[in-house]
Amino acid sequence: MSIQRVAIVGPGLLGGSIALALRGRKEVSVAIWARRPEMVEELKAMVIAQYTATKLSRVVRDADLIILCTPIEAMPELAREIVGAAKPGAIVTDVGSVKATVVAELGSIFKGGPRFVGSHPMAGSEQTGLRAARADLFRGATCLVTPDADSDAAAVAELGEFWQSLGCNVRHLSPAAHDEAVALISHFPHLLAATLVNVVAERQDTAFDFCGPGFRDTTRVASGPPEMWAGILAANSTAVRGALDAMIEKLREIANILARDPADPAIRTLLTHAQQRRANVRFPNSPNV
Amino acid sequence: MSIQRVAIVGPGLLGGSIALALRGRKEVSVAIWARRPEMVEELKAMVIAQYTATKLSRVVRDADLIILCTPIEAMPELAREIVGAAKPGAIVTDVGSVKATVVAELGSIFKGGPRFVGSHPMAGSEQTGLRAARADLFRGATCLVTPDADSDAAAVAELGEFWQSLGCNVRHLSPAAHDEAVALISHFPHLLAATLVNVVAERQDTAFDFCGPGFRDTTRVASGPPEMWAGILAANSTAVRGALDAMIEKLREIANILARDPADPAIRTLLTHAQQRRANVRFPNSPNV
């Protein structure tokens, strides 16, 4: 089977960007589900899908690939509707930022039905919603595909090819390894950026008047949607707490060094390690939205 | 007196960018001091100054404005050479990122000689050196001018006009208030970004393979030169320690909340505060180098 019909469940930044990326591909037709009728009208006006509706079973019934693009909290309920409506051979994936809990829950809902495999295209933005969607959002972005022991190997391969066709670099990771990794490079850094903003505000909020590009970039992610991020942090709290505890411990060590001797060469050493480590990171080409 | 002759002491990113910004202004001539003869040759080949030399007294003797653009550790020694060579009415400034200690030390060296006023153009970059210099580096950047009780009011005004002519938004702040503010928005965030990179490296360095634009931006400043930043953190260690302690305390509170209940609404509240506070920050237009 090749993927010819794609159903997008939830037209936010990611769902909308998938639709835009697929627009104009003659061999692929796109159907989009939105909860609100006004959103369906907006999508129709944009002409980015062959079919748009609020009735989920209609949207997914012919699809070869169904992509859940809603907040993770909403996914189980939608999945239970999809399981009775989708074709048996269909592939279902999601774009949630947390995978262990999501894959376990959705995997059990879809057991014996359409073939579920989790995805996490790492192309977010502090902007959200359909209006921030763009056809090139996935170009150069990493997409983590997270099969588990129950995953269908053919579905994993096809799903990987689909993300690649959108411009992603596809990598495979177990759901648990995924969650540990994204806690370190995304979820905990988000919490840290938000906390930094709050520390500045509470100590000397006039300091914001003098911000340069450094502070702008260091805290950019803190402008992300609080509701969504609170959900992500809750869903991945174990791994986030591990990173948080490690950070607190390191900051304490640094505080002790600075209290003893601000010119201690250990400070330069830790800055050098960070500089060298970061120099070895190959960041994706995806745009800074 | 209007500023017609500018002497730049140290052709790094900032010194080089000042020279490039002044190039082509008929009414201003630029002299540059560099420690190494090879650098003098490189500057001559670039044709960005009317005069370039390793002999400091020659470079500064006719200047209306002398700008110290070296690392802060090197400034006092250079200042002692300048004090005997500069015109009595000259204005001297520096571009150091820490002001209380620098202004106190340089102010006492220049007492009775040329008029010293500290500056801090906040247009740094994780890149350094002449090759990263650019004519538009200061456009839209904030420049903090930090007079103290001994400062000559006319010199403060002229210096402000000079930075404005380079495209800076000029603000005045006491050296102590400056140091507290930049600890919060620059020095401590730098330490935090570097520590985040080190925490990731030490917990799961394969996570770097999956970095998206969020982690790239959150840690961008950690690529800055370790030697320079160790010097800045040492020079401003009191204010940095204050920010560090406040951060540790906040992170501990968050760790306690997540341990008790990952879905506690307090997490969403803190993310919302951060989002709203950041939305009110007016970031300068200066480019993300």
Side-chain angles (χ1 to χ4, degrees):
Chain A
M1 186 194 78
S2 76
I3 293 167
Q4 291 177 324
R5 290 178 175 144
V6 176
I8 296 167
V9 180
L13 171 67
L14 294 174
S17 294
I18 295 169
L20 287 171
L22 294 174
R23 177 154 71 172
R25 261 200 226 171
K26 288 209 182 71
E27 74 283 11
V28 177
S29 80
V30 173
I32 304 183
W33 172 85
R35 193 179 296 278
R36 294 180 299 112
E38 315 88 78
M39 180 57 87
V40 168
E41 292 313 311
E42 191 173 337
L43 289 162
K44 283 182 176 164
M46 288 174 73
V47 199
I48 58 168
Q50 276 69 34
Y51 182 70
T52 313
T54 58
K55 194 158 171 59
L56 185 56
S57 58
R58 289 267 177 88
V59 170
V60 302
R61 67 181 177 190
D62 296 323
D64 304 314
L65 172 64
I66 300 163
I67 312 176
L68 286 157
C69 300
T70 65
I72 48 183
E73 297 81 14
M75 289 179 185
E77 194 193 322
L78 294 164
R80 278 184 283 269
E81 273 194 69
I82 291 168
V83 75
K87 296 193 295 190
I91 300 170
V92 182
T93 192
D94 72 293
V95 297
S97 306
V98 178
K99 294 266 79 89
T101 51
V102 170
V103 168
E105 189 160 13
L106 299 187
S108 89
I109 292 172
F110 288 113
K111 205 169 178 84
R115 300 169 292 166
F116 175 78
V117 183
S119 303
H120 179 197
M122 300 181 71
S125 165
E126 78 279 11
Q127 294 174 49
T128 52
L130 182 59
R131 293 184 191 187
R134 14 192 295 191
D136 66 352
L137 188 72
F138 302 104
R139 199 145 296 282
T142 296
C143 181
L144 300 175
V145 170
T146 60
D148 64 5
D150 296 332
S151 300
D152 178 85
V156 173
E158 278 191 76
L159 183 61
E161 283 167 29
F162 172 78
W163 289 117
Q164 264 170 359
S165 79
L166 262 50
C168 292
N169 300 313
V170 174
R171 305 283 300 259
H172 295 86
L173 220 53
S174 75
H178 167 277
D179 285 3
E180 175 70 21
V182 295
L184 285 167
I185 57 163
S186 171
H187 305 170
F188 173 62
H190 189 99
L191 191 58
L192 198 64
T195 305
L196 176 60
V197 171
N198 289 337
V199 165
V200 174
E202 287 162 30
R203 281 183 77 79
Q204 187 190 356
D205 70 350
T206 52
F208 285 131
D209 294 349
F210 314 119
C211 285
F215 193 82
R216 178 192 65 201
D217 290 355
T218 306
T219 63
R220 180 175 62 81
V221 295
S223 289
E227 177 99 31
M228 184 185 97
W229 279 96
I232 289 171
L233 291 167
N236 201 17
S237 68
T238 307
V240 169
R241 283 171 55 205
L244 184 51
D245 289 344
M247 188 78 184
I248 291 170
E249 196 186 316
K250 273 221 176 293
L251 293 179
R252 271 223 180 293
E253 283 171 26
I254 294 169
N256 290 339
I257 293 169
L258 287 176
R260 218 168 41 225
D261 174 13
D264 191 314
I267 301 293
R268 195 173 96 190
T269 302
L270 81 86
L271 297 177
T272 304
H273 284 159
Q275 185 202 37
Q276 289 168 346
R277 284 159 167 168
R278 193 171 183 280
N280 290 326
V281 178
R282 287 190 46 180
F283 290 105
N285 242 345
S286 68
N288 167 355
V289 192
Chain B
M1 187 195 76
S2 77
I3 292 167
Q4 291 178 321
R5 289 179 174 141
V6 177
I8 296 168
V9 180
L13 171 66
L14 294 173
S17 294
I18 294 169
L20 287 172
L22 294 174
R23 177 154 71 173
R25 263 201 223 170
K26 289 212 183 68
E27 74 284 12
V28 177
S29 80
V30 173
I32 305 182
W33 172 84
R35 193 180 298 281
R36 293 179 299 112
E38 314 89 79
M39 179 57 87
V40 168
E41 292 313 310
E42 191 173 335
L43 288 162
K44 284 181 174 166
M46 287 173 73
V47 199
I48 58 170
Q50 277 69 33
Y51 182 70
T52 313
T54 58
K55 194 159 171 60
L56 184 56
S57 57
R58 288 268 176 88
V59 169
V60 302
R61 66 180 179 190
D62 295 323
D64 304 313
L65 173 63
I66 300 162
I67 311 176
L68 286 158
C69 301
T70 65
I72 47 183
E73 297 81 14
M75 289 178 185
E77 195 194 321
L78 294 164
R80 278 185 283 268
E81 272 194 70
I82 291 168
V83 75
K87 294 194 297 189
I91 300 170
V92 182
T93 192
D94 73 292
V95 298
S97 306
V98 179
K99 293 266 78 91
T101 50
V102 169
V103 169
E105 189 160 11
L106 299 187
S108 90
I109 292 171
F110 288 114
K111 207 169 177 86
R115 300 169 293 166
F116 176 77
V117 182
S119 303
H120 179 199
M122 299 180 72
S125 164
E126 79 279 10
Q127 294 175 49
T128 53
L130 183 59
R131 292 180 193 189
R134 15 193 293 191
D136 65 352
L137 188 74
F138 302 104
R139 199 145 296 282
T142 296
C143 181
L144 300 175
V145 171
T146 61
D148 63 7
D150 296 332
S151 300
D152 178 85
V156 173
E158 278 190 76
L159 183 61
E161 283 167 31
F162 173 77
W163 287 116
Q164 264 170 0
S165 78
L166 262 49
C168 291
N169 300 312
V170 173
R171 305 283 302 261
H172 295 87
L173 220 54
S174 74
H178 166 277
D179 285 2
E180 176 71 22
V182 296
L184 285 167
I185 57 163
S186 171
H187 305 169
F188 173 61
H190 188 100
L191 192 58
L192 199 64
T195 305
L196 176 59
V197 171
N198 289 337
V199 164
V200 174
E202 287 161 31
R203 280 183 77 79
Q204 187 190 355
D205 70 349
T206 52
F208 286 130
D209 293 349
F210 314 118
C211 285
F215 193 82
R216 178 193 63 199
D217 290 354
T218 306
T219 62
R220 180 175 62 81
V221 294
S223 288
E227 176 99 29
M228 184 186 97
W229 279 97
I232 290 170
L233 291 167
N236 201 16
S237 68
T238 306
V240 169
R241 283 171 55 203
L244 184 52
D245 289 344
M247 187 78 185
I248 292 170
E249 196 185 315
K250 274 223 176 291
L251 292 179
R252 271 227 178 290
E253 285 171 23
I254 295 169
N256 290 339
I257 294 169
L258 286 176
R260 217 168 43 224
D261 174 13
D264 191 314
I267 300 294
R268 197 173 93 190
T269 302
L270 82 86
L271 296 178
T272 303
H273 284 160
Q275 186 202 36
Q276 289 167 348
R277 285 160 166 169
R278 194 173 182 280
N280 290 327
V281 177
R282 286 191 47 180
F283 290 104
N285 242 345
S286 68
N288 166 355
V289 192

